[in-house]
Amino acid sequence: MTTTTTTYPWWKDSTIYQIWPASFRDSNGDGFGDIPGIIKSLDHIKSLGVSVVWLSPHYDSPQDDMGYDISNYEAIYEKYGTMDDMNQLIDEIHKRDMKLILDLVVNHTSSEHSWFKESKSSLDNPKRDWYIWRKPRYDSNGNRQPPTNWLSYFSGSTWNYDEKTDEYYLCFFAKTQPDLNWENEETRNAIYKSALEFWFKKGIDGFRIDTAGKYSKIYGKDGKTFEDAPIVYPDQYYQPSSQFTNNGPRIHEFHKEMFSEITSKYDALTVGEVGNCSKQEAIEYVSAAEKEMNMLFLFDVVHLGSNREDRFKYKGFTLKDFKNAVASQSDFIKGTDAWSTVFIENHDQPRAVTRFGNTSNSQLWSKSAKLLALLQTTLTGTLYIYQGQEIGMTNLPRSWDIEEYKDINTINYWAEHKKLNPNDPEADENLLDVINLVARDHARSPVQWDDSINGGFSTGTPWTRVNDNYKDINVKAQTGDPNSVFSFYQNAIKVRQLYKNLFIHGDFEILDYEIDKLFTYIKSSDDQRAYIVLNFSDKEVPFKQLVDGNLKLINSNVKDVKEDTLTPYEGRVYLID
């Protein structure tokens, strides 16, 4: 027996593959991935069992934040190709019966966007109010200070001073990423026309919505000024300020307007990067009745061990913490009309096999990468796979110097650390350990296509260094190898689709919260149940059946299953008769 005939919207049953264009595949030898390189690789993506491609920012940009600083929503970054290339990509994806979603980045633009250039030109420019400007304040000694003590996500102040107009503009990320003023209706309408409607008319199938919970800022009692953030880190002036920017008072109004004005007119997928909020707050974004977005990303798993305001303040986690995080994501939609996602990697996260598996040797690397595939493909929600995840790409080597790291978040954090700790080698090494575990750079190293120079990513010098292990971990070596991580992902996705009511839509129940090596859970639908047991340790452990009924093995990451023993990082998926 497989699934029943229940049908769902196409985006619920989809497997979505995220492409980070700079690091995917370079077709012309300039060291940057590009759209022709993506087109060349579509058959690889299709063969994985993917039904939707998510393309991270491809728009024209100065690239201060890898394309999340957009200077023109209606143009292509020149190193990625041309609009003709983009049109061909849309066509080629559709020819393969796949769909394409883009990144929607509308909390901010680049400071090079024509809108901001006009806004910055004078106090009375018609677009002045398209961004968030405020007067400076002055301390008791007459020194000019930013309007608030808010901490940027990329270190330092969220405010940047403009000498010409003697005001600060708000920028929660890089100084070159000014926040748009969503309170201004004219601004919103321009966003809808340029960033959404333009691309829907070209035939794309939806959007991943960047920082989707941050458009509505929280003002003070007067409705105009902002309040200082409370002191959380006594050793620094600037303080976390997400309480003033997450889930603001008009955020749902804005998303409902976006839906009614634009996305409701298309059979579109919309997935929001909402970030830190309660379950009830999250439900409001994706409840079908609310008509805002289809689904969102919950960060419970990927943020494990880190402070949510600061990824580099890392304390680690236990397997029980991991179980709780998975349960939080899997139980999110229970008893609601909402929908959610399954993911363990993306462009902002390190490599999952390094974070949650074991890369100490090739055997444990392979088994733990497959173990994570078993976990992901049996969880409830729409499945997202990040480029390179399907071949078990790992974090960068610890031996690399900090100069090899290119991400603005890592660079700024390291610079701030050195300023505060100018002669502290021990503190340096401790931070480098954390950077090597959780920095965003690890997801941004080039995809390893084969064992030729630069891993087959480029014939030129890559914009960022290829991981040293490309000769051992690459697409060519794994394609067609029945024992490879890639082949395992192919099969696991097939099993997920074969039993979609059970794995994509089924209920989730953990059976072994207190066991510190095993992760055992049940998935259940109206007519089926599955028993999944995963050994998240490097030790052999006894296999115990914690449910009644006969077990039929339908997937495992080992060939020879011993009935009473789970080998290190072994996982099994059973149907319960």
Side-chain angles (χ1 to χ4, degrees):
M1 183 187 295
T2 59
T3 61
T4 62
T5 57
T6 305
T7 57
Y8 301 96
W10 62 267
W11 38 265
K12 285 192 174 184
D13 291 343
S14 294
T15 298
I16 301 176
Y17 187 93
Q18 183 189 358
I19 290 176
W20 181 255
S23 297
F24 189 66
R25 198 166 198 173
D26 173 21
S27 70
N28 60 9
D30 68 355
F32 284 81
D34 49 41
I35 296 169
I38 297 171
I39 295 170
K40 178 181 178 181
S41 310
L42 288 176
D43 289 340
H44 163 75
I45 297 170
K46 176 71 174 178
S47 73
L48 184 60
V50 166
S51 49
V52 181
V53 173
W54 157 21
L55 179 62
S56 292
H58 62 288
Y59 313 96
D60 199 14
S61 165
Q63 298 291 316
D64 288 337
D65 185 24
M66 295 304 298
Y68 283 93
D69 50 321
I70 296 170
S71 55
N72 187 345
Y73 291 106
E74 301 173 28
I76 310 297
Y77 177 49
E78 62 179 359
K79 288 187 180 296
Y80 293 163
T82 65
M83 190 60 76
D84 285 342
D85 292 330
M86 190 64 190
N87 292 335
Q88 183 183 357
L89 176 64
I90 296 170
D91 290 342
E92 292 293 335
I93 285 175
H94 289 159
K95 281 179 185 177
R96 290 166 174 79
D97 294 320
M98 296 190 293
K99 297 181 185 291
L100 174 65
I101 66 171
L102 306 180
D103 242 295
L104 181 64
V105 187
V106 290
N107 176 71
H108 46 263
T109 67
S110 166
S111 54
E112 294 300 309
H113 197 293
S114 61
W115 296 348
F116 186 73
K117 289 180 177 179
E118 287 188 55
S119 181
K120 186 180 179 182
S121 64
S122 68
L123 292 169
D124 58 358
N125 185 275
K127 287 189 174 63
R128 183 67 174 182
D129 193 44
W130 283 36
Y131 295 83
I132 301 171
W133 294 90
R134 290 296 182 271
K135 292 289 184 185
R137 61 182 180 180
Y138 293 87
D139 62 22
S140 57
N141 296 319
N143 297 313
R144 187 187 73 243
Q145 299 292 342
T148 68
N149 68 341
W150 294 356
L151 176 67
S152 165
Y153 289 104
F154 291 165
S155 302
S157 175
T158 58
W159 297 96
N160 201 36
Y161 182 64
D162 174 51
E163 193 168 335
K164 179 180 178 181
T165 58
D166 188 32
E167 286 190 347
Y168 286 82
Y169 62 85
L170 186 65
C171 45
F172 268 93
F173 295 91
K175 299 298 185 187
T176 54
Q177 288 172 291
D179 280 42
L180 286 156
N181 180 17
W182 274 69
E183 301 290 327
N184 186 319
E185 183 179 4
E186 187 180 4
T187 308
R188 298 199 304 275
N189 289 334
I191 290 169
Y192 300 154
K193 180 179 179 181
S194 187
L196 287 92
E197 189 70 39
F198 177 86
W199 290 102
F200 274 128
K201 287 180 177 178
K202 283 189 169 291
I204 65 105
D205 303 289
F207 288 99
R208 175 264 186 185
I209 307 175
D210 186 60
T211 61
K214 298 185 184 301
Y215 310 152
S216 176
K217 316 307 188 206
I218 298 175
Y219 294 83
K221 293 179 180 179
D222 63 0
K224 297 179 181 179
T225 57
F226 296 105
E227 298 177 2
D228 271 348
I231 305 300
V232 176
Y233 304 138
D235 60 339
Q236 62 189 50
Y237 177 75
Y238 297 112
Q239 299 296 320
S241 54
S242 59
Q243 69 191 81
F244 298 103
T245 59
N246 282 351
N247 312 303
R250 297 188 68 189
I251 192 65
H252 296 292
E253 174 191 342
F254 295 153
H255 280 294
K256 284 178 170 61
E257 181 180 80
M258 191 188 303
F259 175 84
S260 64
E261 293 291 326
I262 304 295
T263 58
S264 64
K265 299 174 183 177
Y266 303 89
D267 183 19
L269 181 162
T270 51
V271 53
E273 181 197 31
V274 172
N276 305 325
C277 59
S278 69
K279 176 178 178 178
Q280 188 51 49
E281 287 173 326
I283 292 289
E284 290 182 43
Y285 287 95
V286 292
S287 164
E290 295 298 332
K291 294 181 169 55
E292 294 188 21
M293 296 181 288
N294 300 141
M295 64 188 94
L296 51 70
F297 294 117
L298 297 169
F299 296 154
D300 303 67
V301 172
V302 295
H303 280 174
L304 266 179
S306 283
N307 184 306
R308 291 195 171 216
E309 300 283 359
D310 183 345
R311 73 172 59 233
F312 298 117
K313 291 186 184 297
Y314 185 79
K315 295 183 178 180
F317 62 91
T318 65
L319 183 57
K320 186 175 181 180
D321 295 331
F322 185 76
K323 294 175 186 179
N324 282 327
V326 172
S328 179
Q329 292 191 188
S330 295
D331 290 341
F332 171 68
I333 63 173
K334 190 175 291 185
T336 75
D337 65 347
W339 192 243
S340 190
T341 57
V342 181
F343 78 104
I344 202 167
E345 285 190 24
N346 64 28
H347 61 288
D348 282 335
Q349 305 301 331
R351 290 296 183 175
V353 69
T354 301
R355 278 270 274 139
F356 305 112
N358 190 323
T359 58
S360 61
N361 63 53
S362 60
Q363 183 181 14
L364 293 183
W365 157 77
S366 177
K367 283 182 72 176
S368 59
K370 295 172 184 177
L371 185 79
L372 291 170
L374 280 179
L375 173 71
Q376 294 289 283
T377 54
T378 54
L379 295 180
T380 305
T382 298
L383 177 63
Y384 287 75
I385 295 174
Y386 181 70
Q387 63 182 43
Q389 181 181 341
E390 77 274 21
I391 59 168
M393 282 181 62
T394 69
N395 277 8
L396 305 174
R398 176 62 176 86
S399 59
W400 284 13
D401 189 85
I402 188 64
E403 298 301 322
E404 298 287 357
Y405 289 78
K406 306 298 184 186
D407 177 36
I408 189 172
N409 189 18
T410 308
I411 293 169
N412 286 0
Y413 200 95
W414 178 257
E416 190 71 17
H417 161 79
K418 293 300 289 183
K419 189 189 304 180
L420 296 173
N421 306 275
N423 297 295
D424 193 340
E426 183 178 355
D428 290 352
E429 290 302 308
N430 289 338
L431 178 55
L432 286 171
D433 285 341
V434 174
I435 286 173
N436 186 246
L437 184 64
V438 300
R440 303 193 304 180
D441 304 75
H442 303 296
R444 302 180 181 192
S445 66
V447 172
Q448 297 156 205
W449 292 98
D450 57 40
D451 61 0
S452 65
I453 188 170
N454 299 322
F457 164 71
S458 176
T459 56
T461 302
W463 72 273
T464 191
R465 185 173 167 183
V466 178
N467 198 316
D468 293 346
N469 60 17
Y470 69 86
K471 290 189 177 181
D472 299 312
I473 301 174
N474 63 71
V475 172
K476 183 179 179 180
Q478 294 191 24
T479 302
D481 176 0
N483 298 316
S484 70
V485 173
F486 178 70
S487 293
F488 190 83
Y489 262 99
Q490 287 178 308
N491 183 64
I493 291 169
K494 286 178 183 176
V495 173
R496 178 178 177 82
Q497 290 295 321
L498 186 62
Y499 300 97
K500 63 176 65 177
N501 276 4
L502 186 57
F503 296 128
I504 300 177
H505 301 275
D507 289 334
F508 171 89
E509 179 188 358
I510 293 177
L511 299 181
D512 63 352
Y513 260 112
E514 303 305 323
I515 300 177
D516 64 357
K517 293 181 176 64
L518 293 181
F519 188 175
T520 308
Y521 54 95
I522 291 176
K523 292 300 297 293
S524 55
S525 61
D526 291 340
D527 57 355
Q528 288 181 311
R529 290 194 303 160
Y531 182 71
I532 299 96
V533 57
L534 310 172
N535 180 7
F536 271 90
S537 79
D538 59 1
K539 302 289 191 297
E540 285 195 354
V541 294
F543 171 74
K544 296 180 180 179
Q545 183 173 333
L546 304 180
V547 293
D548 294 330
N550 297 320
L551 299 183
K552 176 186 176 184
L553 187 69
I554 60 170
N555 204 2
S556 174
N557 63 347
V558 299
K559 280 186 175 180
D560 300 317
V561 173
K562 301 176 182 177
E563 288 297 325
D564 59 349
T565 304
L566 289 158
T567 57
Y569 295 99
E570 180 178 343
R572 304 177 192 174
V573 180
Y574 293 96
L575 288 184
I576 305 171
D577 184 0

